[in-house]
Amino acid sequence: MAKKNYTVIDLFAGCGGLSLGLYQAGWHGVFAIEKNPCAFETLKYNLIDKKNHFDWPKWLPKEPLDIQEVNKKYKTQLKNLRGSIDLVAGGPPCQGFSMAGKRVKDDVRNQLVFAYIDFIKMVRPKLILFENVKGFTYAFNKEKNPEAVPYSTVVVNQLEKMGYDVSPQVIDFSEYGVPQRRKRFILVGVQKSLKKKASGFVKLLQENRDDFLSDRGLKKDTTIFEAISDLLRANGTVPTPDRKNFLSGIYGEASSTYQDFMRQGIEGQNPQSHSFARHGEDKLACYKKLLSEYPVKGKRIDGKEREIWGIRQRGIYILDGQAVAPTITNMPDDYLHYQEPRIMTVRECARLQSFPDWYEFKSKYTTGGDQRKKEVPRYSQVGNAIPPLFAHQAGIVLKEMI
């Protein structure tokens, strides 16, 4: 019997965390939609060019694309895909819903939820994997408008109308071997004609987890130390090849199976995107003082306490090497390294997100001011991603459901 190709379209693909995990699970990409040129550059380099993960139809340009434009321009082609697509994966940008940032009711990005629903209406995949932040499940302005419903309810209702059995839940990725507490809204939809319950997704995920991790020498609870202790600045430095006047780290000895797993396939190289920030003397002194004197690790320092300790940014976590990381965001200044007086590098954040070291990040390292609305530099690409290690496990379960 011929081997089945499991076909997937990745919407709001970002730098490719979800696509990478599905690729590792044996899924076959048809195409991906990502509007931002910085994130698309990373996705293209790793999964389109290097891994040849996508077939990419001739009618669709291989470039950054806006889902609203695609829906409008390629209606006929999208409807022609009906019956051939097993899975549509991905969720709209989450910044407007995020509890970590400012929840913005009128953020234009929130409207992309409706573009997502329109896309599903046209393509009608067998399965849906929809991901978003936990804040997606809370209604805006509930105090002023008690009738307000969260966007998650809108999505569930629309998908059920289209004939999908739907199961929404909040999943903490740290329970699946990712060294980071990251709770996300995950919705699985299954065409009712498949006669499978969407609620079976989490049950299968939990049943498969221990075998999946032990087959790879991994465990459920991986600490920050176990994830990144081979990336210390103390190992030595070299000039950063793609960032003028900056220094990058080199590898130390791998001291955990997680590090061995992340370093597969990059023998003889230095870690990519492992460029250290250049801290001024004041900041360096502040960071040294925090590491040596602050009594608690792993807790966010903000408000009045921030001022007492001379912290000028809005807040900071001193990472605890013996615990899993807090949720990695797109703000590099949010985290102080557990041992060295510096913020984390892109590569260290990528490790905590479970990106393998061969996965290269492209475009600028950081950005600021108004450019934040337009640019998605490397730190943001990593902070916005779905951890590939979770996506890989989800991909295996979704294949079982077909």
Side-chain angles (χ1 to χ4, degrees), residues 7 28 46 77 105 124 132 157 169 180 189 194 222 234 280 329 334 336 398:
T7 53
H28 202 76
N46 291 283
Q77 292 92 331
K105 179 176 181 280
R124 303 287 170 124
N132 217 297
N157 292 343
Q169 52 254 313
Q180 177 196 167
L194 286 180
T222 298
T329 69
D334 278 356
L336 175 56
L398 290 163

Side-chain angles (χ1 to χ4, degrees), residues 148-166:
V149 294
Y151 276 82
S152 56
T153 306
V154 176
V155 172
V156 169
N157 292 343
Q158 288 290 329
L159 293 176
E160 283 178 341
K161 267 189 207 163
M162 283 184 243
Y164 287 92
D165 181 62
V166 176

